[in-house]
Amino acid sequence: MKRIAENTINRLIVYKKELERLRKDDVRNVFSHKLAFLSGFPSHLVRRDLMNVGYNGSPAHGYDVVELEKCIADFLCTPGSVRVILIGVGNLGRAILDYCQQQNHKISMVAAFDSDKNKVNKVYHGIYTFHIDSIKNFIKENDIKVAIITVPASDAQEIASALVESGVRGIVNFTPARLQLNEEVYIENLDMMLGLEKVVYFVDGG
Amino acid sequence: MKRIAENTINRLIVYKKELERLRKDDVRNVFSHKLAFLSGFPSHLVRRDLMNVGYNGSPAHGYDVVELEKCIADFLCTPGSVRVILIGVGNLGRAILDYCQQQNHKISMVAAFDSDKNKVNKVYHGIYTFHIDSIKNFIKENDIKVAIITVPASDAQEIASALVESGVRGIVNFTPARLQLNEEVYIENLDMMLGLEKVVYFVDGG
DNA sequence: TTTGAATTGTGAAAAAAATCACAATGCAAA
DNA sequence: TTTGCATTGTGATTTTTTTCACAATTCAAA
Ligand SMILES: NC(=O)c1ccc[n+]([C@@H]2O[C@H](COP(=O)([O-])OP(=O)(O)OC[C@H]3O[C@@H](n4cnc5c(N)ncnc54)[C@H](O)[C@@H]3O)[C@@H](O)[C@H]2O)c1
Ligand SMILES: NC(=O)c1ccc[n+]([C@@H]2O[C@H](COP(=O)([O-])OP(=O)(O)OC[C@H]3O[C@@H](n4cnc5c(N)ncnc54)[C@H](O)[C@@H]3O)[C@@H](O)[C@H]2O)c1
């Protein structure tokens, strides 16, 4: 099985989301051009990407929306359900907890953690908040593999190290800190400031 | 002047941030390996990227932290100051306003907009919130080129169209909506769910 | 001064990604 | 049935990006 490029994965996730939307609108079939338009990529790239997931459309009807969505989901290996935790129930953390509740996804938020006694043992947007001291046990007992970090940047490295030590293998890092981890962990840095700087660059020069 | 790849820009922004940190720690010089380690990219890629910005280090002392930071900043064209607005002062919007205040950047948040009368004419994290109806005038009068969208997904397209019509050329879109805009506008989609799905993919299979 | 060690900058090679272009397909309409 | 059309899937090609590898550079120490 050949390695798939990160960009391809990004696009597949977008296709999946667009297919989900089409399905909910009761659209049965979709052509590569349409999917390309919806997701913002060229249509030949859509077709090339779909070669990777091994789904065959028909020249006459294009792709079956339901089948293709399922095929991409299988390929992306989103299994029955993935349990995720969040660390740092501050402004951003609560916004994310809220956002996750709204999506009825295969990815489910199962717990939050904070060091602030005023936040511990409270429920935010349906998610129970535990004290940070219990996180290692929680991760091991519940076999958590993915976590979201929304603590202050100064605490991010310490938290990340503890997560990885306990078995976490993927981190979504919203802080501006660049995490240094020796073990092999997939880190997705979502620092808004970087995105904003990129936009500024492409707007006034690039 | 040759076109620079988006990935190169991403990396340059990270280098710049690491250099800023080094400067604040009074570090004078840095080698490509060190910068590579800090930013998480291979050192030959660091050197290759730096060729693009036209800064020359010395084999003996590596790069001058202050000069290189300045050189990248110039290259990225972050001019005196860029004014940015935010639309949608909800959970996420307020978290971002707070975050922007903490950074003392060349990018400055100058106003927020909302449709909710309870939020209009209030100040959140130092930023005044105007009614959404006044946004077109504001953009034109203040020559705003970049905006951040944190309204509900269902309103995102309408807002985005209005922004672009008024002169905005770059958008950071935090909603799951895929924006369709005919004019040439740079859009940075920061949908957390996509990042999370990517992490899940790379954790349990890729 | 000379040697040695570390690092830069960059041509060249390799690898990866995107694009092109078209045969093959399947359907609708004549 | 046959023709025409729009679309898929994919080899081939082009372009882009990354990696390799090493001459050139600089300095410190002998
Ligand atoms: N990527 C983005 O778009 C974006 C936007 C806003 C903020 N941020 C970043 O996200 C982080 C959080 O921002 P915020 O505005 O929510 O901050 P916040 O101060 O409101 O929240 C931080 C939370 O983390 C908790 N915390 C602190 N130390 C902890 C520890 N060691 N263990 C567990 N919990 C701990 C605090 O009690 C608090 O509840 C910051 O790093 C900020 O820079 C990112
Ligand atoms: N990318 C992420 O990580 C992330 C995280 C959380 C939420 N989100 C998304 O961000 C968006 C906002 O999330 P939230 O939790 O802050 O929601 P929210 O409901 O708390 O806030 C939305 C705000 O937009 C305002 N608004 C609504 N319609 C408007 C209009 N037409 N013009 C101006 N203002 C308007 C509302 O009054 C409210 O203040 C949603 O689309 C959500 O899906 C993204």
Side-chain angles (χ1 to χ4, degrees), chain A residues 20-180:
Chain A
E20 183 187 341
R21 196 166 311 183
L22 289 169
R23 172 170 54 75
K24 286 182 179 164
D25 289 347
D26 284 322
V27 176
R28 296 292 187 80
N29 299 95
V30 66
F31 293 114
S32 62
H33 293 82
K34 176 76 173 173
L35 198 50
F37 173 78
L38 291 173
S39 50
F41 305 111
S43 62
H44 47 79
L45 202 40
V46 171
R47 296 203 296 279
R48 180 65 70 189
D49 288 337
L50 294 189
M51 281 180 72
N52 285 308
V53 308
Y55 176 76
N56 277 16
S58 99
H61 302 115
Y63 307 101
D64 182 295
V65 169
V66 173
E67 279 182 29
L68 180 55
E69 183 192 353
K70 189 169 169 331
C71 193
I72 294 177
D74 286 348
F75 179 85
L76 292 175
C77 252
T78 318
S81 169
V82 179
R83 282 155 310 190
V84 175
I85 60 175
L86 177 141
I87 304 97
V89 191
N91 294 313
L92 181 62
R94 288 195 303 271
I96 291 171
L97 290 179
D98 186 28
Y99 177 62
C100 281
Q101 288 311 96
Q102 292 166 25
Q103 323 265 321
N104 64 340
H105 240 274
K106 294 196 170 175
I107 297 173
S108 58
M109 185 71 69
V110 294
F113 295 85
D114 206 292
S115 57
D116 182 345
K117 289 211 166 120
N118 297 315
K119 288 175 178 164
V120 168
N121 293 327
K122 298 225 170 76
V123 174
Y124 295 97
H125 303 289
I127 305 297
Y128 196 90
T129 304
F130 296 92
H131 192 277
I132 188 69
D133 289 347
S134 61
I135 199 167
K136 290 192 176 186
N137 272 337
F138 189 97
I139 291 171
K140 284 173 190 155
E141 281 171 15
N142 295 278
D143 194 31
I144 302 293
K145 291 276 169 264
V146 176
I148 299 173
I149 298 184
T150 51
V151 297
S154 53
D155 294 80
Q157 179 64 60
E158 185 194 350
I159 297 288
S161 300
L163 293 174
V164 172
E165 202 183 299
S166 311
V168 165
R169 285 291 161 266
I171 293 176
V172 182
N173 172 32
F174 279 91
T175 82
R178 304 290 298 181
L179 306 174
Q180 309 288 352

Side-chain angles (χ1 to χ4, degrees), chain B residues 102-149:
Chain B
Q102 292 166 26
Q103 323 266 320
N104 63 342
H105 240 275
K106 294 197 169 177
I107 296 173
S108 57
M109 185 73 69
V110 294
F113 295 85
D114 206 293
S115 58
D116 183 344
K117 289 214 167 118
N118 296 316
K119 287 174 180 165
V120 168
N121 294 327
K122 296 225 171 77
V123 174
Y124 294 96
H125 302 291
I127 305 296
Y128 196 91
T129 304
F130 297 92
H131 192 277
I132 187 71
D133 289 348
S134 61
I135 199 169
K136 290 193 177 185
N137 273 337
F138 189 97
I139 291 172
K140 284 173 191 157
E141 281 171 15
N142 295 279
D143 194 31
I144 302 294
K145 292 276 170 264
V146 176
I148 299 173
I149 299 184

Side-chain angles (χ1 to χ4, degrees), chain B residues 23 49 51 62 77 82 130 132 135 156 179 185 191:
Chain B
R23 173 171 53 76
D49 288 337
M51 282 179 73
C77 252
V82 179
F130 297 92
I132 187 71
I135 199 169
L179 305 175
V185 178
D191 183 356

